[in-house]
Amino acid sequence: MSSSFADVQRGHLLTEQANPSSAELDALSTADLVAVFVEEDRRPQEAVAAAAPALTAAIDAIAERLRSGGRLFYLGAGTSGRLGVLDAAECPPTFCSAPELVQGVLAGGAPALLRSSEGLEDLFDAGRDDLVSRGFNAADALVGIAAGGTTPYVHGGLSHARSIGALSIAMACVPAEQVAMPCDIDIRLITGPEVLTGSTRLKAGTATKMALNILSTGVMVRLGKVYGNRMVDVAVTNSKLEDRALRILSDLAGVDREAGRALLQQSEGSVKLALLMARCGISAPSASERLASHGGQLRSALE
């Protein structure tokens, strides 16, 4: 590593400071060690609650982009990047979204999922280059994730997003006064010093995972992929999902399992279409046409 990197001082960052509650961590009994973690792990929930206004703004802004044909990208290095990849990977099976709709971009690519490649986070231009290679454009939205807020890779991606007019959202676990990030919406998850000093896979990682859960689920709700609190836009591709689909049809349309299977077969495994067919007594083509005319929103199609 070059001397220019060695000269960077990060000790003032909240995520790098020592936590007084765990000052004697190695001397604690196992029970007391666990008790420290249990107490400190209340902070991520508090941090996410405090960031609710920024999360609300981000959900609405991202949903608007996706309705207009844009895509959502998560970009990060290390734990932050892996959490983005995880959330993106869960969207297709949960919401039947196209794999390219939500994408996780990790410094170092797929190999970095299993083996640490932390040095890559220092490459400012790599953040931009990785987005360019995926065709990232002005219609898209970017969430740049960096627990400590200083990652050059993430700053490079966010700067590129702003320069081309894409939606840029920053997510960090340090106050904006400590580190400014180039963005349109700034999500700060203030979890405080880690139990293990500087190990942001802990409270910072937990808060980030919680925030990404809210972000992606909220966006998909706004896009009409949820009815009530049910995953109605899921496609039936295995026995677990068939059972879930049949229970949804039973609960929301009063359909028994035999009739439910017939509806799923007619709808080619689409729970949303099967529900519309059952509730309105219409064929699969008619249900598909009605749903399309309501922008994929099941609730308005039913009404």
Side-chain angles (χ1 to χ4, degrees):
M1 185 175 290
S2 70
S3 59
S4 62
F5 294 137
D7 290 340
V8 176
Q9 299 292 316
R10 294 185 175 86
H12 67 289
L13 298 177
L14 197 58
T15 51
E16 293 294 327
Q17 293 171 13
N19 190 329
S21 299
S22 59
E24 303 296 329
L25 191 65
D26 64 322
L28 296 177
S29 69
T30 304
D32 287 341
L33 179 149
V34 171
V36 169
F37 270 97
V38 169
E39 179 60 32
E40 287 294 316
D41 279 345
R42 302 180 196 276
R43 309 292 172 254
Q45 176 62 57
E46 295 167 354
V48 172
L55 286 167
T56 300
I59 288 169
D60 287 339
I62 293 169
E64 184 178 349
R65 292 279 175 148
L66 269 54
R67 282 193 204 98
S68 300
R71 298 161 296 168
L72 169 60
F73 290 76
Y74 295 131
L75 180 124
T79 298
S80 295
R82 293 182 193 103
L83 289 169
V85 170
L86 175 62
D87 197 73
E90 293 290 350
C91 286
T94 307
F95 302 108
C96 206
S97 59
E100 61 272 11
L101 185 66
V102 183
Q103 301 183 34
V105 184
L106 172 64
L113 282 169
L114 301 177
R115 178 169 295 183
S116 175
S117 54
E118 307 293 353
L120 297 173
E121 70 180 51
D122 290 325
L123 305 178
F124 182 92
D125 290 342
R128 176 201 64 205
D129 295 344
D130 284 353
L131 288 174
V132 170
S133 71
R134 297 208 183 198
F136 182 81
N137 60 64
D140 296 326
L142 173 68
V143 178
I145 314 166
T150 62
T151 309
Y153 179 83
V154 174
H155 278 255
L158 286 170
S159 296
H160 174 65
R162 295 205 81 186
S163 73
I164 64 172
L167 176 66
S168 57
I169 300 168
M171 184 177 291
C173 298
V174 294
E177 307 83 68
Q178 289 190 347
V179 181
M181 300 179 76
C183 61
D184 301 310
I185 299 172
D186 203 350
I187 301 172
R188 299 292 171 144
L189 307 167
I190 309 304
T191 50
E194 297 288 358
V195 171
L196 185 63
T197 306
S199 183
T200 51
R201 69 187 179 88
L202 300 176
K203 289 190 298 182
T206 299
T208 298
K209 176 68 166 65
M210 292 168 67
L212 293 178
N213 284 348
I214 294 169
L215 207 61
S216 58
T217 304
V219 168
M220 295 302 171
V221 169
R222 294 279 76 85
L223 294 179
K225 292 183 172 292
V226 173
Y227 180 74
N229 61 358
R230 307 300 183 99
M231 295 186 288
V232 292
D233 220 358
V234 68
V236 176
T237 56
N238 61 31
S239 60
K240 178 187 73 175
L241 293 175
E242 182 189 45
D243 176 64
R244 183 180 296 159
L246 292 173
R247 284 186 280 113
I248 290 174
L249 289 170
S250 174
D251 293 347
L252 301 184
V255 175
D256 64 32
R257 292 179 75 87
E258 185 178 349
R261 284 194 178 92
L263 285 166
L264 289 173
Q265 185 174 15
Q266 295 167 40
S267 68
E268 298 183 345
S270 169
V271 179
K272 185 186 282 188
L273 282 181
L275 259 176
L276 193 55
M277 292 161 63
R279 290 275 291 269
C280 299
I282 57 179
S283 66
S286 296
S288 182
E289 184 178 339
R290 180 184 291 195
L291 196 59
S293 69
H294 287 272
Q297 298 282 345
L298 180 59
R299 187 172 294 277
S300 60
L302 287 169
E303 293 171 352

